[in-house]
Amino acid sequence: MGKLTSLLALLHNSESVKEIEQELTSRGYQYTVGKVGAMDLSKVVSAIETSAKSKGIVNANSYREVHALYHAILEAIQGVGRGTVQFGDILRTVGLTFSIVRGNIDFSGYGGEWISVCVYGTIGAPKKGFEHDALGFGFNHI
Amino acid sequence: MGKLTSLLALLHNSESVKEIEQELTSRGYQYTVGKVGAMDLSKVVSAIETSAKSKGIVNANSYREVHALYHAILEAIQGVGRGTVQFGDILRTVGLTFSIVRGNIDFSGYGGEWISVCVYGTIGAPKKGFEHDALGFGFNHI
Amino acid sequence: MGKLTSLLALLHNSESVKEIEQELTSRGYQYTVGKVGAMDLSKVVSAIETSAKSKGIVNANSYREVHALYHAILEAIQGVGRGTVQFGDILRTVGLTFSIVRGNIDFSGYGGEWISVCVYGTIGAPKKGFEHDALGFGFNHI
Amino acid sequence: MGKLTSLLALLHNSESVKEIEQELTSRGYQYTVGKVGAMDLSKVVSAIETSAKSKGIVNANSYREVHALYHAILEAIQGVGRGTVQFGDILRTVGLTFSIVRGNIDFSGYGGEWISVCVYGTIGAPKKGFEHDALGFGFNHI
Amino acid sequence: MGKLTSLLALLHNSESVKEIEQELTSRGYQYTVGKVGAMDLSKVVSAIETSAKSKGIVNANSYREVHALYHAILEAIQGVGRGTVQFGDILRTVGLTFSIVRGNIDFSGYGGEWISVCVYGTIGAPKKGFEHDALGFGFNHI
Amino acid sequence: MGKLTSLLALLHNSESVKEIEQELTSRGYQYTVGKVGAMDLSKVVSAIETSAKSKGIVNANSYREVHALYHAILEAIQGVGRGTVQFGDILRTVGLTFSIVRGNIDFSGYGGEWISVCVYGTIGAPKKGFEHDALGFGFNHI
């Protein structure tokens, strides 16, 4: 499930994303992909949260589900920040594609629903070409 | 380059990795893929460093190159640890596939060689099935 | 539930803990209290995890439950460490009482089971009297 | 002293707080309790600092005392943040009761005044019911 | 090179800085010194970055050089923050002298250019006298 | 006091250290300088602590003083680690000169004794020449 989530974000603009989407659908997973660009960390968190709610990946009226999603987002952002969970404060801007996948995993102790979030894009100075790739991934039970 | 590095680690065991490798070769990039399983953080750092040196991705006699690689590895591990750069100390074990890519990027201000490291695998308790996916990515000039 | 968990650890040796235990029981919560002293961070994590499993607070065969517990423990330890999740590495030893509570919370979006962990005790040099109080708390959906 | 500080914050609204206050008074400790709700981390730090100064717990004209208090506050906030010392930046809002206690501790190497800060309350999304308990504690010599 | 960079910042206002500058010049190093006072972390990063570019220490059109500088600045700021890379958010203001040195180091594996950044000054409350010394240092290949 | 502490560590092997020592003595400050090389973080903390006690900079029987020293050491080490308070775990070894200074500062709100710790040396791979300068500084009331 983590691999599919990551490939969904990484291959979003390529043709091979269709295979990923078919695999996700055949497993009965719910998923969505979106984009956000910001210097403001709270906008990134908010964009991913809002997308998951509006696409019905999580139930916006269930604190349990929102709590699970929130911690998966924070984990993914830590991969992007690599040591500091800050963007604009340290003059970094990000342009990110995010993917969110939710579904049942049924082997050994898993038994139940899990959620994973992948963010892939660029981080750098607010000047074209002065940025490089960044990637983050979070995973939680839901 | 970040995307190719990430796909190289994620698709390592699938057929589509050949396309990734062709693309890497056509761009003149050097790359390698390896695996490491450990509860001991220093073994993970060491395995990636040793692989990069023995495959000639970095020159083991150049401190500049080793320094660039080292910081890219640390960044990638921060994505895996998500907030704490510790494994065994907090009872986590990891089983990771890592990819290392080095090459010239020539547009806008880039001009020169860069190195990127992706680690993908599982993190969790030392008990089969009690682990989930983890992903980390680091990038540096070399 | 967080308040009861915290009071359970703080008042463990006093008479008033009976009231706390009655309140926990009347709400149908499961709980346990234990002690651990160590310079080794992994021993602290392990002691809390083992206690929760052996007392049946979490099902040791369910990765979902173990995952929820693990993250609650890590959160609690961050309160004890205050900035560094390390004990022996930076010459600190801890003597901790921990409480674990699990139960249903049913108002607004909660709907379902949650788990909370509180650790209370001393942290300091391995020399009697050269230590001070420390407290940490973690909370998760389960 | 740490236990009393923590109980003072946790039991603030209950009857048993009187016993805690009597114990604090009988030991000759100075203490205060206050509340702060904010998405803005600097408001939380500021509210606790201002309260300690206006209630005379620390002397606002002594940098030594203000420095001791400040670090105790930061430690307590790390327990609330559990890994990231950020609130609004990552879309978290807090509603906290804080307690500050200062006094002499006279056994073994202690000999002199110490200050402790406990914060207890809720952290979560800015939506009623979408928040959970949080607890933090800091301790310093003064 | 690190020692000279540090002495350049520390001795900026004293007579002995001339010796440091002579040594830097005789080694063919480029260097600059500047000052910045702010509660806003992004202003500190920005002031050091802008100074390095305008003095020609790094080429503002080369992302490689800007990337190397940026990470050296972040490392130096971590020494000032000591555990939290935040200033105004936690009510701290800084008054810093920064030095930036770039040059060739030619022994053993070094072979090539490196950049180092030192920041020295005060950190504390926004009130005269309620602040103390702070020091940070970063180093990178360029 | 911070500047003198830093210069004491940086200029330890040069002639100009005599001026620093004269200035320290004329102000009535106590100070010491030592060296430690290790991959093991706990050895670094221990070496600085032991030196301060054996030279009488702090009273080993006073927990207040040991507590003040300990936090100053941790702050200094955070400057050396720049984001991760780990050495051997992430394959870094350090060779450090440390200075410890204690004394009265009497202007505005200071009024009383303070302690500062500076560590200066090299950090890197356990291979000669594959290391670079590192610097850290901590400050506390005592």
Side-chain angles (χ1 to χ4, degrees):
Chain A
M1 178 170 171
K3 187 186 286 191
L4 290 172
T5 309
S6 306
L7 292 173
L8 189 60
L10 282 158
L11 301 174
H12 178 53
N13 289 319
S14 78
E15 290 223 352
S16 31
V17 79
K18 282 176 197 163
E19 280 175 55
I20 310 299
E21 291 177 330
Q22 280 173 357
E23 177 68 20
L24 287 162
T25 306
S26 76
R27 293 192 187 185
Y29 291 172
Q30 287 171 280
Y31 63 89
T32 190
V33 181
K35 278 171 188 281
V36 57
M39 280 196 81
D40 188 341
L41 178 54
S42 64
K43 277 187 194 159
V44 176
V45 178
S46 174
I48 305 177
E49 227 182 281
T50 303
S51 172
K53 289 173 184 170
S54 67
K55 297 294 170 55
I57 311 290
V58 302
N59 176 353
N61 294 319
S62 163
Y63 179 42
R64 287 177 69 77
E65 300 203 353
V66 173
H67 185 256
L69 169 68
Y70 179 78
H71 282 274
I73 294 172
L74 270 200
E75 286 187 4
I77 284 172
Q78 275 164 323
V80 174
R82 288 152 298 137
T84 45
V85 186
Q86 287 159 298
F87 296 152
D89 286 341
I90 49 173
L91 281 189
R92 296 196 285 197
T93 189
V94 293
L96 300 167
T97 298
F98 57 84
S99 58
I100 314 166
V101 175
R102 173 186 180 159
N104 259 292
I105 302 182
D106 276 318
F107 65 88
S108 49
Y110 267 84
E113 279 189 307
W114 297 77
I115 189 163
S116 64
V117 172
C118 182
V119 285
Y120 166 71
T122 56
I123 189 165
K127 178 176 172 180
K128 191 158 174 48
F130 282 63
E131 66 212 356
H132 62 67
D133 286 1
L135 183 65
F137 177 78
F139 190 88
N140 211 351
H141 58 287
I142 196 165
Chain B
M1 177 170 172
K3 187 185 287 190
L4 290 171
T5 308
S6 306
L7 293 173
L8 189 60
L10 282 158
L11 302 173
H12 180 52
N13 289 320
S14 78
E15 288 222 355
S16 30
V17 78
K18 282 177 197 162
E19 279 175 56
I20 309 298
E21 290 177 331
Q22 280 173 357
E23 177 69 19
L24 286 163
T25 306
S26 76
R27 292 192 189 187
Y29 291 173
Q30 289 170 279
Y31 64 89
T32 191
V33 181
K35 279 171 188 281
V36 57
M39 280 196 80
D40 189 340
L41 178 53
S42 64
K43 276 188 196 159
V44 177
V45 178
S46 175
I48 306 178
E49 228 182 280
T50 303
S51 171
K53 288 173 184 172
S54 67
K55 297 294 170 56
I57 311 290
V58 301
N59 176 353
N61 295 317
S62 165
Y63 179 41
R64 288 176 68 76
E65 299 202 353
V66 174
H67 185 257
L69 170 67
Y70 179 78
H71 281 274
I73 294 171
L74 271 200
E75 287 187 3
I77 285 172
Q78 276 164 323
V80 174
R82 288 152 297 137
T84 45
V85 186
Q86 288 159 299
F87 297 151
D89 286 341
I90 50 174
L91 282 190
R92 296 195 285 196
T93 188
V94 293
L96 300 168
T97 298
F98 58 83
S99 58
I100 314 166
V101 175
R102 174 188 180 159
N104 260 291
I105 303 181
D106 276 319
F107 66 86
S108 48
Y110 269 83
E113 280 189 306
W114 297 77
I115 190 162
S116 63
V117 172
C118 182
V119 285
Y120 166 71
T122 56
I123 189 165
K127 178 175 173 180
K128 190 154 174 53
F130 282 64
E131 66 211 356
H132 62 67
D133 286 359
L135 183 65
F137 177 78
F139 190 88
N140 211 350
H141 59 287
I142 195 164
Chain C
M1 177 170 172
K3 187 185 287 191
L4 290 171
T5 309
S6 306
L7 292 173
L8 189 61
L10 283 158
L11 301 173
H12 179 53
N13 289 319
S14 79
E15 289 223 352
S16 30
V17 77
K18 283 176 196 163
E19 280 177 55
I20 309 298
E21 291 177 331
Q22 281 173 357
E23 176 68 20
L24 285 163
T25 305
S26 76
R27 292 192 189 187
Y29 291 172
Q30 288 169 278
Y31 64 89
T32 190
V33 180
K35 278 172 189 280
V36 57
M39 280 197 81
D40 189 340
L41 178 53
S42 63
K43 277 186 194 158
V44 177
V45 177
S46 174
I48 305 177
E49 228 183 279
T50 303
S51 171
K53 289 173 183 171
S54 66
K55 297 294 171 53
I57 311 289
V58 302
N59 176 353
N61 294 317
S62 163
Y63 179 41
R64 287 177 69 76
E65 300 201 354
V66 174
H67 185 256
L69 169 68
Y70 179 78
H71 282 274
I73 294 172
L74 270 200
E75 287 187 3
I77 284 172
Q78 276 165 322
V80 174
R82 288 152 298 137
T84 45
V85 186
Q86 287 158 299
F87 297 152
D89 286 341
I90 49 174
L91 282 189
R92 296 195 285 196
T93 188
V94 294
L96 300 167
T97 298
F98 57 85
S99 58
I100 314 166
V101 175
R102 173 186 180 159
N104 260 291
I105 303 182
D106 275 320
F107 65 87
S108 47
Y110 269 84
E113 280 189 307
W114 296 77
I115 190 163
S116 64
V117 172
C118 182
V119 285
Y120 166 71
T122 56
I123 188 165
K127 178 176 172 179
K128 192 160 171 48
F130 282 63
E131 66 212 357
H132 62 68
D133 286 1
L135 183 64
F137 177 78
F139 191 87
N140 211 352
H141 59 287
I142 196 164
Chain D
M1 178 170 171
K3 188 185 287 192
L4 291 171
T5 309
S6 306
L7 293 173
L8 189 60
L10 282 158
L11 301 173
H12 179 53
N13 289 318
S14 78
E15 288 222 354
S16 32
V17 78
K18 282 176 197 163
E19 279 175 56
I20 309 298
E21 291 177 331
Q22 279 173 358
E23 176 69 18
L24 286 163
T25 306
S26 75
R27 292 192 189 185
Y29 291 173
Q30 288 171 279
Y31 63 90
T32 191
V33 180
K35 279 172 189 280
V36 57
M39 280 195 82
D40 188 341
L41 177 53
S42 63
K43 276 187 195 159
V44 176
V45 178
S46 174
I48 305 178
E49 227 183 282
T50 303
S51 171
K53 290 173 182 171
S54 67
K55 297 294 171 56
I57 310 291
V58 301
N59 176 352
N61 294 317
S62 164
Y63 179 42
R64 288 177 69 77
E65 300 202 352
V66 173
H67 185 256
L69 169 68
Y70 179 78
H71 281 275
I73 294 172
L74 271 200
E75 287 187 3
I77 285 173
Q78 275 164 323
V80 174
R82 289 153 297 137
T84 45
V85 186
Q86 287 160 299
F87 296 151
D89 287 340
I90 50 173
L91 281 189
R92 297 196 284 197
T93 188
V94 292
L96 300 167
T97 298
F98 58 84
S99 58
I100 313 166
V101 174
R102 174 188 181 158
N104 259 291
I105 303 181
D106 275 319
F107 66 86
S108 50
Y110 268 83
E113 281 188 306
W114 297 77
I115 190 163
S116 63
V117 172
C118 182
V119 286
Y120 166 70
T122 56
I123 189 165
K127 179 176 173 181
K128 191 156 174 49
F130 282 64
E131 67 212 355
H132 61 68
D133 285 0
L135 182 65
F137 177 77
F139 190 87
N140 211 351
H141 59 287
I142 195 165
Chain E
M1 179 170 171
K3 187 185 287 191
L4 291 171
T5 309
S6 306
L7 293 172
L8 189 60
L10 282 158
L11 302 173
H12 179 52
N13 289 318
S14 79
E15 288 223 354
S16 31
V17 79
K18 281 177 197 164
E19 280 176 55
I20 309 299
E21 291 177 330
Q22 280 173 358
E23 177 69 19
L24 286 163
T25 305
S26 76
R27 292 192 188 186
Y29 291 173
Q30 286 170 280
Y31 64 89
T32 191
V33 181
K35 278 170 189 281
V36 57
M39 278 195 84
D40 188 342
L41 178 53
S42 63
K43 276 186 194 159
V44 176
V45 178
S46 174
I48 305 178
E49 226 183 281
T50 303
S51 172
K53 289 173 184 171
S54 67
K55 297 295 171 54
I57 310 291
V58 301
N59 177 353
N61 294 317
S62 164
Y63 178 42
R64 288 178 69 77
E65 300 202 352
V66 173
H67 185 257
L69 169 67
Y70 179 78
H71 282 274
I73 294 171
L74 270 200
E75 287 187 4
I77 285 172
Q78 276 164 321
V80 174
R82 288 153 298 137
T84 45
V85 186
Q86 288 160 298
F87 296 151
D89 286 341
I90 49 173
L91 282 189
R92 295 195 287 196
T93 187
V94 293
L96 300 167
T97 299
F98 58 84
S99 58
I100 314 165
V101 174
R102 172 188 182 158
N104 260 291
I105 302 182
D106 276 319
F107 66 87
S108 47
Y110 268 84
E113 280 189 307
W114 296 78
I115 190 162
S116 63
V117 172
C118 183
V119 286
Y120 166 70
T122 56
I123 189 165
K127 177 176 172 181
K128 192 159 174 48
F130 282 63
E131 67 212 356
H132 62 67
D133 286 359
L135 184 63
F137 177 78
F139 191 87
N140 211 350
H141 59 287
I142 196 165
Chain F
M1 178 171 172
K3 188 185 287 191
L4 291 170
T5 309
S6 306
L7 292 173
L8 189 60
L10 282 158
L11 301 173
H12 180 53
N13 289 319
S14 79
E15 289 223 352
S16 31
V17 78
K18 282 176 196 164
E19 280 176 56
I20 309 298
E21 291 177 331
Q22 280 174 358
E23 177 68 19
L24 287 162
T25 306
S26 76
R27 292 192 188 187
Y29 291 173
Q30 288 170 280
Y31 63 89
T32 191
V33 180
K35 279 172 189 281
V36 57
M39 279 197 82
D40 188 340
L41 178 53
S42 64
K43 277 187 194 158
V44 177
V45 177
S46 175
I48 306 178
E49 227 182 282
T50 303
S51 172
K53 289 173 183 170
S54 66
K55 298 294 171 56
I57 310 290
V58 302
N59 177 353
N61 294 318
S62 164
Y63 178 42
R64 288 177 67 77
E65 299 202 353
V66 173
H67 185 258
L69 169 67
Y70 179 78
H71 281 275
I73 294 172
L74 270 200
E75 286 187 4
I77 284 173
Q78 275 164 322
V80 174
R82 288 153 298 136
T84 44
V85 186
Q86 287 158 299
F87 297 151
D89 286 341
I90 49 172
L91 282 190
R92 296 195 285 196
T93 187
V94 293
L96 299 168
T97 298
F98 58 84
S99 58
I100 315 166
V101 175
R102 173 188 181 157
N104 260 291
I105 302 181
D106 276 320
F107 66 87
S108 47
Y110 268 83
E113 280 190 305
W114 296 77
I115 191 162
S116 63
V117 172
C118 182
V119 285
Y120 166 70
T122 56
I123 189 165
K127 178 174 171 181
K128 192 157 172 50
F130 281 64
E131 66 211 357
H132 62 67
D133 286 0
L135 183 64
F137 177 78
F139 190 88
N140 210 351
H141 59 287
I142 196 165

